[in-house]
Amino acid sequence: MRHTLLAAAILSTILPATAKPGTEIVAEGFNRPVWVGAPSHVKDRLWVIEQDGRIWVIDAKSGEKQKEPFLDIADQVRRRGNEEGLLGLAFAPDFEKSGLFYVNFVDKQQNTRISRFKAAGPDYNKADRESQEILLSFKQDFDNHNGGWIAFGPDKMLYVGNGDGGSGDDPKQRAQAMDTYLGKILRLDVSPASGYEVPKDNPFVGKSGVKPEIWALGVRNPWRCSFDSKTGDFWIGDVGQNKWEEINYLPKGKGAGSNFGWRLREADKPNPNKGIAGDKPENNVEPVYVYEHGTKGDEGLSVTGGYVYRGPVKELEGRYIFGDYNNRRVWSFILKGGKATSFKDHTDEFTPEKGRMGMISSFGEDSAGNVYIVDHGGPILRIVDK
């Protein structure tokens, strides 16, 4: 008995009472990375987007980068504005067999372009540049608020997040207009061998003067969205303007036709510009979390939407992890009864051991549910159990 107690005492001095989540650097040296992720069947590799128009494949354990990019379309990508560039990547649900994937970028003519490419098997480590098929292209008004997120939902439809076209207070009133893709979440059926179809159950199909691809409206600059890999629920981080940042949420299969309120409203309040402020529009959906502009621990200036954690760190299970680009903070909360609860600031514990928290351009997720933090300055961090 004495030996058992002695062993327990020794162990207690070298093991923490409770494990704490932290981060480890997976890879470094990227040029303005804005996304990381992997196809659902891949466990040993990650794909990283560089804003100037390149996608790299790296070893998920060593962080070693392939000698050649997975895709290089830098000669097609416009990067004059800080928010322009290659911004989103989505692997087809059957990528393992088809090698098909989709990208969202701003082209040299200042159009948002949704293109389909094909990669060669069996490892799909190299895309065929010449396989590009432009599915959708539309003009951007200014050089900011491009959105750029793209992903497949649990219904295998392709969702696209578009900003309002840019400048301040949506001067061309795009977010509430139904004859433009700007300020909207689109939903496309890309299953045809060429082109795409408008899903028959999209909420505005058949309505005169309305773009039928629109699934939801009233967003300012959705800078990063995600589907919960366990529940299929939809999350949107929408960047604010004057005073408020917001996180929006829609349960799986719900929310078609939702209006998130911009430019009439900023987050859950009337636009601070009284000449623009308005009442809640029809089908308005209020955010589940709002934070004010500032530099305190629970404030910021530009939200970066994240993921509901479904990885190996038990302490984080079910928590929606997100951050702020300018204030360089990472937070999480649990959604209960449609409200954000159990808010936590993870900035200190997620800061790399050597260095500081960078400007968070994106979060990412792999097939095991691990969540990654993308530092716009170059490093990719993985959240781990320390």
Side-chain angles (χ1 to χ4, degrees):
M1 175 66 102
R2 192 169 75 84
H3 294 295
T4 303
L5 291 173
L6 179 60
I10 293 171
L11 282 172
S12 69
T13 64
I14 61 175
L15 293 177
T18 56
K20 290 291 183 183
T23 59
E24 61 184 11
I25 296 176
V26 178
E28 299 181 273
F30 295 100
N31 179 27
R32 294 176 68 89
V34 292
W35 186 87
V36 63
S40 59
H41 74 284
V42 173
K43 295 180 173 59
D44 60 345
R45 288 165 291 160
L46 294 168
W47 277 249
V48 179
I49 293 177
E50 289 183 328
Q51 196 172 349
D52 64 357
R54 295 176 181 85
I55 302 174
W56 296 91
V57 179
I58 63 172
D59 185 289
K61 291 184 178 180
S62 69
E64 184 178 356
K65 184 195 298 183
Q66 276 189 182
K67 292 182 180 180
E68 298 294 330
F70 170 75
L71 177 69
D72 185 347
I73 53 171
D75 59 341
Q76 301 181 36
V77 173
R78 176 183 161 109
R79 273 286 297 115
R80 294 183 186 177
N82 183 55
E83 298 175 24
E84 294 179 323
L86 176 56
L87 304 173
L89 167 63
F91 299 100
D94 67 346
F95 179 79
E96 185 177 9
K97 296 179 179 179
S98 70
L100 296 175
F101 65 96
Y102 301 78
V103 295
N104 184 334
F105 67 96
V106 180
D107 67 19
K108 295 291 188 181
Q109 291 71 47
Q110 204 174 358
N111 299 303
T112 280
R113 189 190 299 184
I114 309 300
S115 288
R116 173 163 48 205
F117 287 86
K118 186 177 177 65
D123 295 328
Y124 301 110
N125 283 333
K126 184 69 175 177
D128 178 5
R129 240 183 73 107
E130 303 307 314
S131 68
Q132 179 176 191
E133 178 189 1
I134 301 172
L135 300 183
L136 190 63
S137 178
F138 51 91
K139 192 71 175 178
Q140 288 288 342
D141 292 330
F142 301 94
D143 61 7
N144 61 345
H145 300 184
N146 300 291
W149 170 84
I150 185 172
F152 282 90
D155 55 3
K156 296 186 178 181
M157 298 293 147
L158 186 66
Y159 290 76
V160 181
N162 295 326
D164 65 5
S167 193
D169 274 327
D170 189 9
K172 297 190 177 182
Q173 303 184 42
R174 303 299 197 186
Q176 293 294 320
M178 300 302 288
D179 61 349
T180 173
Y181 297 122
L182 299 174
K184 311 297 189 301
I185 305 295
L186 309 182
R187 180 173 179 258
L188 313 176
D189 179 357
V190 294
S191 63
S194 64
Y196 71 90
E197 295 179 355
V198 174
K200 294 179 180 179
D201 58 347
N202 270 11
F204 303 108
V205 169
K207 295 193 176 183
S208 178
V210 177
K211 297 286 189 185
E213 295 91 346
I214 296 173
W215 187 75
L217 65 148
V219 289
R220 181 175 180 269
N221 189 30
W223 188 258
R224 294 320 205 185
C225 313
S226 65
F227 290 97
D228 186 332
S229 59
K230 181 178 180 179
T231 67
D233 297 341
F234 186 40
W235 294 82
I236 304 170
D238 197 12
V239 179
Q241 176 176 286
N242 299 291
K243 196 173 181 179
W244 304 101
E245 302 295 308
E246 66 184 278
I247 300 293
N248 293 295
Y249 162 85
L250 294 170
K252 179 184 177 181
K254 306 291 184 182
S258 294
N259 190 331
F260 297 103
W262 178 255
R263 71 175 186 158
L264 302 172
R265 303 175 69 75
E266 184 179 20
D268 58 353
K269 299 169 180 62
N271 190 318
N273 185 335
K274 294 183 179 179
I276 294 175
D279 296 330
K280 296 178 184 179
E282 183 180 0
N283 296 325
N284 180 239
V285 173
E286 295 280 58
V288 294
Y289 186 77
V290 169
Y291 66 93
E292 195 167 3
H293 283 189
T295 58
K296 297 178 182 177
D298 58 353
E299 298 175 336
L301 293 168
S302 181
V303 68
T304 299
Y307 290 82
V308 176
Y309 189 86
R310 301 299 182 189
V313 184
K314 298 303 181 185
E315 183 179 330
L316 298 175
E317 172 65 24
R319 302 190 69 87
Y320 177 72
I321 298 174
F322 66 108
D324 190 88
Y325 179 83
N326 290 92
N327 200 21
R328 305 186 181 203
R329 307 200 74 83
V330 182
W331 305 297
S332 75
F333 61 75
I334 294 175
L335 191 68
K336 287 187 178 180
K339 295 182 180 180
T341 64
S342 186
F343 177 88
K344 286 186 178 181
D345 185 346
H346 299 278
T347 308
D348 289 343
E349 61 189 8
F350 287 173
T351 297
E353 292 181 2
K354 295 181 180 180
R356 62 174 184 163
M357 183 63 70
M359 302 180 87
I360 304 165
S361 61
S362 187
F363 292 85
E365 184 182 44
D366 65 20
S367 59
N370 289 299
V371 170
Y372 297 79
I373 301 172
V374 181
D375 180 342
H376 212 185
I380 307 295
L381 310 177
R382 179 167 43 225
I383 298 173
V384 296
D385 195 334
K386 285 287 188 178

